[in-house]
Structures are given as C-alpha cells and as structure tokens.
C-alpha cells in the first residue's frame, strides 16, 4: 500500500496545481496498485477460502476504502478536466464491482457494512456528477493517508 500512497500524494499535488493530465496519470497508477489487492481480498481466493474472517476489521476494509478513495479522486479529476462522462463511467463501474463483492456468500459483516457505505458514497458522487459537471471546490479530493481512506470524502 506504500506505492498506492505515493501515487495518491503525487496525484493530490497535481490536482491542487490543476495539472489534470498528471493528476489523472497518478490516480490511475494508484488504481492499478490497489485494484489487484482489492480484487483478491473481496472476490479472489482469500474471499472464497473464508480466510478474510481472520483479519482485523481495519485490515479487512482497507483495500475497499483505498479503492473508493482512488476512484473518487480520479472521478473528481475527470470532472475538473471537463470529462464528466469519464467520471460517471468510472463511478458506475466501481459501483458494479462493489455490488459483485456484496453478493459473496462468505463476506465478513464488517466488510459488508464497509462496502455498503462506500457504495453509498460513490452513489452520492455520481449524483453530484449529474447535477454539477465540474467540481467548484478543489478540496473535493480525498487525502491519501490511511486514516482518510477510512473516513468520508473531503468536500
């Protein structure tokens, strides 16, 4: 997750500098880092084997939180760059991924609750995207610390 955090920090710097191509690149790199971790931990062999129940709740939910933070930041970056269609597509796809994860039979309750909350957060972002095609406030991105990953989006 250190690589993820590195890319998120670079993405946030580029976002605040309004360097949209660089911010998008950094957030996409962060997404590429967290995606396989999330996939394995929610839909992969670890989920199928039932080994997720052995993890503490914070470790269990971290990949999902990091994925949601990355997606929200990348979606906001697309909106700021005048690409609301890309933002909506990314948010909708991530909601579908979370929906698939929520259908897993052996999903621990803490992860289930976290995914529901994150899915609601993505839905809110999607609503904002439909009514406000471009963010008015640069503080809409989520800070990349691990504590921010577990909390709500900064507005």
């Amino acid at each position: 997750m250190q690589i993820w955090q590195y890319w998120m920090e670079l993405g946030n710097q580029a976002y605040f500098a309004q360097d949209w191509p660089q911010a998008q690149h950094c957030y996409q790199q962060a997404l590429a880092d967290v995606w396989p971790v999330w996939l394995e931990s929610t839909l992969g062999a670890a989920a199928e084997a039932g080994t997720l129940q052995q993890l503490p709740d914070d470790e269990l939910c971290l990949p999902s939180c990091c994925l949601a933070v990355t997606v929200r930041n990348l979606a906001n970056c697309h909106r700021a760059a005048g690409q609301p269609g890309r933002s909506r597509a990314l948010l909708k796809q991530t909601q579908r991924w979370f929906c698939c994860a929520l259908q897993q039979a052996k999903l621990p309750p803490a992860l289930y609750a976290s995914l529901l909350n994150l899915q609601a957060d993505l839905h809110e972002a999607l609503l904002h995207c439909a009514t406000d095609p471009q963010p008015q406030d640069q503080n809409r991105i989520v800070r990349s610390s691990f504590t921010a990953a577990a909390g709500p989006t900064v507005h």
Side-chain angles (χ1 to χ4, degrees):
M1 297 307 287
Q2 288 178 338
I3 294 170
W4 172 83
Q5 190 169 15
Y6 168 79
W7 284 114
M8 291 297 292
E9 288 171 6
L10 287 179
N12 290 350
Q13 290 171 10
Y15 186 96
F16 284 115
Q18 297 184 3
D19 183 351
W20 311 130
Q22 180 63 21
Q24 288 172 348
H25 169 75
C26 293
Y27 292 143
Q28 287 168 344
Q29 292 300 314
L31 187 59
D33 184 60
V34 75
W35 169 251
V37 176
W38 180 83
L39 187 63
E40 173 61 25
S41 68
T42 56
L43 299 174
E48 285 298 314
T51 57
L52 295 178
Q53 283 81 354
Q54 299 168 3
L55 294 174
D57 289 351
D58 57 344
E59 286 181 40
L60 181 66
C61 298
L62 185 61
S64 296
C65 291
C66 290
L67 178 63
V69 165
T70 306
V71 165
R72 283 290 305 261
N73 285 5
L74 181 56
N76 285 335
C77 189
H78 286 315
R79 288 175 54 212
Q83 304 165 324
R86 291 185 76 183
S87 180
R88 284 189 296 273
L90 177 63
L91 292 167
K92 285 179 182 179
Q93 181 60 53
T94 307
Q95 281 189 306
R96 285 191 286 270
W97 294 335
F98 283 8
C99 185
C100 288
L102 286 166
Q103 295 175 17
Q104 298 301 304
K106 296 181 182 180
L107 205 61
L111 182 55
Y112 187 86
S114 178
L115 286 168
L116 280 178
N117 287 331
L118 294 169
Q119 192 174 39
D121 186 55
L122 293 174
H123 182 72
E124 178 186 347
L126 195 54
L127 291 175
H128 283 292
C129 198
T131 60
D132 178 18
Q134 197 162 10
Q136 303 297 316
D137 180 356
Q138 288 184 351
N139 289 327
R140 290 187 187 227
I141 65 168
V142 181
R143 301 288 179 192
S144 62
S145 70
F146 291 121
T147 55
T153 302
V154 176
H155 286 269

